[in-house]
Amino acid sequence: MRTPMSLPNILYLHSHDTGRYIEPYGHAIPTPNLMDLARRGVLFRRACSMAPTCSPSRAALLTGQAPHSAGMLGLAHRGFLLHDYGQHIVHTLRAAGYRSTLIGEQHVAKDATVIGYDEIVPLRSTHAQDVGPAAAAFLASAPQQPFFLDVGFNETHREFPEPSAQEDPRYTLPFPVLPDTPEVRRDVAAFKAGARQLDDGIGAVLRALHEAGLDDNTLIFYTADHGPAFPGMKCTLTDHGIGVALIMAGPEPFGGGSVCDALVSHVDVLPTLCANLGIDPPPWLQGKSFLPVLTGDAAEINDATYAEVTYHAAYEPQRSVRTPRYKYIRRFGGRTTPVLPNCDDSPSKDVWLQHGWRTQTVDEEQLFDLIFDPLERRNLIAEPDMAAVREDLRERLLAWMQRTHDPLLQGPVPAPPGLEVNDPDGLSPQEPVHTVA
């Protein structure tokens, strides 16, 4: 392991419900500061989260293991916990000499003090207007090095800000899973306004880092937890839900404005940091370092990545396996209609509901060819010529569930006492919740 004096600082920037829908991924959603970060770092085109829901996704990245292995089967603010907060990244880094500071969103504990940060900066809110200046002030204060600075933004979570003249709904293209209607265009324009605010906050942090003279000795990584809060995106295991931005910039091999097409997962981030820093990886890690891809020693580190949903607002158990070409999704429990409380309320959701979403059917198993069907619309599960692929992915998913001790293998996963859950047959996450006795 390197000595603390030789270790780079780590700046972890993260946002809510953004997916890959920002400028560096080719979308007409201007984020110039993130674009600048991508131009001087590494842009991962096929990064996936391990869950299309907030706390499970973050738990996977921050512990290096599947959400169900870490204990985060649902949302922290509704009562879920990590099995062991000693497995959070701050403890691995502290042993190597890092001092940790949290500014803004974290979403893996109802009470952030149980996580183990050395410092938590108090804020009025976790919105960019408060988070950005606070992080900038921290960087201007000559902080002890090496530091791990965790900067979390509420944006682009709902509720979105009002669109400005920069986000004119008349000239806004809806996301590909949504119909092109006036209501949806305005909703997406409001998302774009949130992305602008997010990028402004990130810009304040990056400028402060530069002005403090810390650019050359700081590894920056930005990501989102999962896809945007629109129907057919967040809380789904298609790439609209689990596809995420991942940009890393800093000392080699994280420079040069390069693009990485390897299939990587959030669960691979902590192993990569350990490998890069020369830290002994903790024994619970389930991901792989993607340093070999960045150094040119390997084209891929994963032949498949995995993702899951157990609880969001309501219980909706699902698991998936994704290879470079195929996606297999398995739903458990026998439900055949959507779990509507697991979709945030929105004008876009209202459009789907007005046209009969509540009575749409959902297949127990889904198989998609991501080359010919990148939008994951045509289910090939019953196609005779897909039998070999289907069986292979079924076996891979089962083996992963067994290897990671997935509680779904034992049947329905009961909600722990004190958990707040919605009725799966309800309509909105804002409806009255049931507190498990």
Side-chain angles (χ1 to χ4, degrees):
M1 183 179 73
R2 290 193 259 178
T3 63
M5 290 295 291
S6 68
L7 290 168
N9 304 307
I10 301 173
L11 173 57
Y12 167 40
L13 302 165
H14 51 102
S15 62
H16 237 325
D17 300 8
T18 311
R20 298 184 189 134
Y21 293 91
I22 53 176
E23 183 180 357
Y25 287 84
H27 297 282
I29 300 175
T31 51
N33 294 297
L34 284 170
M35 191 70 234
D36 178 68
L37 186 67
R39 287 192 177 107
R40 58 191 175 95
V42 181
L43 179 79
F44 294 84
R45 299 289 305 192
R46 292 199 293 176
C48 297
S49 71
M50 285 208 74
T53 57
C54 304
S55 301
S57 168
R58 296 164 191 265
L61 185 148
L62 293 166
T63 70
Q65 57 190 321
H68 63 258
S69 300
M72 195 62 72
L73 290 164
L75 299 174
H77 69 277
R78 284 180 174 240
F80 280 100
L81 303 165
L82 294 179
H83 288 316
D84 180 0
Y85 281 91
Q87 294 181 342
H88 191 283
I89 188 175
V90 295
H91 301 283
T92 298
L93 293 177
R94 179 178 293 117
Y98 281 85
R99 176 175 173 78
S100 60
T101 299
L102 170 66
I103 301 177
E105 194 74 53
Q106 49 83 19
H107 221 312
V108 292
K110 185 178 290 189
D111 176 4
T113 62
V114 307
I115 298 172
Y117 290 93
D118 295 305
E119 178 186 16
I120 300 174
V121 175
L123 297 173
R124 289 184 306 170
S125 78
T126 57
H127 289 285
Q129 63 186 15
D130 294 319
V131 173
F138 171 87
L139 292 167
S141 70
Q144 174 186 321
Q145 299 181 58
F147 58 75
F148 172 70
L149 177 58
D150 182 340
V151 182
F153 298 90
N154 181 268
E155 287 86 2
T156 49
H157 197 282
R158 291 186 184 272
E159 295 293 322
F160 301 144
E162 281 293 307
S164 72
Q166 296 173 252
E167 300 94 22
D168 192 326
R170 293 175 298 174
Y171 312 116
T172 294
L173 180 68
F175 298 126
V177 299
L178 298 172
D180 190 349
T181 72
E183 300 86 355
V184 174
R185 287 196 296 273
R186 180 170 179 80
D187 203 13
V188 175
F191 171 88
K192 293 172 68 174
R196 171 172 46 81
Q197 293 183 354
L198 165 67
D199 192 69
D200 287 346
I202 287 175
V205 180
L206 296 179
R207 284 190 297 275
L209 186 76
H210 176 71
E211 290 166 2
L214 296 171
D215 291 64
D216 292 341
N217 192 40
T218 300
L219 172 57
I220 306 162
F221 72 100
Y222 161 74
T223 193
D225 48 4
H226 48 69
F230 288 81
M233 302 182 82
K234 178 179 178 179
C235 215
T236 75
L237 292 176
T238 67
D239 278 10
H240 307 296
I242 63 171
V244 289
L246 177 61
I247 303 169
M248 303 185 76
E252 290 300 323
F254 300 104
S258 59
V259 169
C260 178
D261 286 303
L263 187 61
V264 300
S265 169
H266 270 169
V267 78
D268 301 321
V269 171
L270 182 49
T272 302
L273 292 176
C274 289
N276 181 248
L277 302 173
I279 297 174
D280 290 335
W284 59 81
L285 296 188
Q286 296 172 356
K288 302 175 183 177
S289 168
F290 47 73
L291 280 186
V293 173
L294 301 183
T295 59
D297 295 320
E300 294 277 3
I301 58 160
N302 293 311
D303 59 5
T305 59
Y306 301 86
E308 64 182 82
V309 177
T310 306
Y311 284 87
H312 189 53
Y315 184 57
E316 188 180 9
Q318 307 170 64
R319 301 292 185 263
S320 71
V321 53
R322 187 202 196 282
T323 68
R325 179 160 184 178
Y326 297 105
K327 166 82 65 63
Y328 171 74
I329 300 172
R330 166 79 189 277
R331 300 175 69 89
F332 295 79
R335 187 181 180 91
T336 58
T337 53
V339 180
L340 298 176
N342 284 344
C343 179
D344 293 0
D345 297 338
S346 70
S348 298
K349 179 178 179 178
D350 290 342
V351 170
W352 274 29
L353 289 172
Q354 290 161 10
H355 291 81
W357 188 24
R358 192 162 202 160
T359 60
Q360 294 284 305
T361 58
V362 181
D363 295 326
E364 180 181 19
E365 292 182 287
Q366 295 173 304
L367 176 62
F368 302 110
D369 184 336
L370 303 176
I371 295 296
F372 292 105
D373 181 24
L375 295 183
E376 298 172 67
R377 295 289 185 88
R378 183 183 174 212
N379 186 5
L380 304 176
I381 197 70
E383 295 292 325
D385 61 349
M386 299 301 293
V389 174
R390 179 178 66 240
E391 294 308 313
D392 173 55
L393 296 184
R394 280 174 175 166
E395 290 172 6
R396 290 195 199 206
L397 185 61
L398 176 60
W400 172 74
M401 294 174 70
Q402 293 171 334
R403 189 166 64 247
T404 58
H405 307 290
D406 193 329
L408 263 184
L409 292 172
Q410 310 305 318
V413 180
L419 189 79
E420 298 175 355
V421 294
N422 282 82
D423 181 353
D425 290 321
L427 183 65
S428 165
Q430 302 305 318
E431 292 171 343
V433 299
H434 167 64
T435 302
V436 179

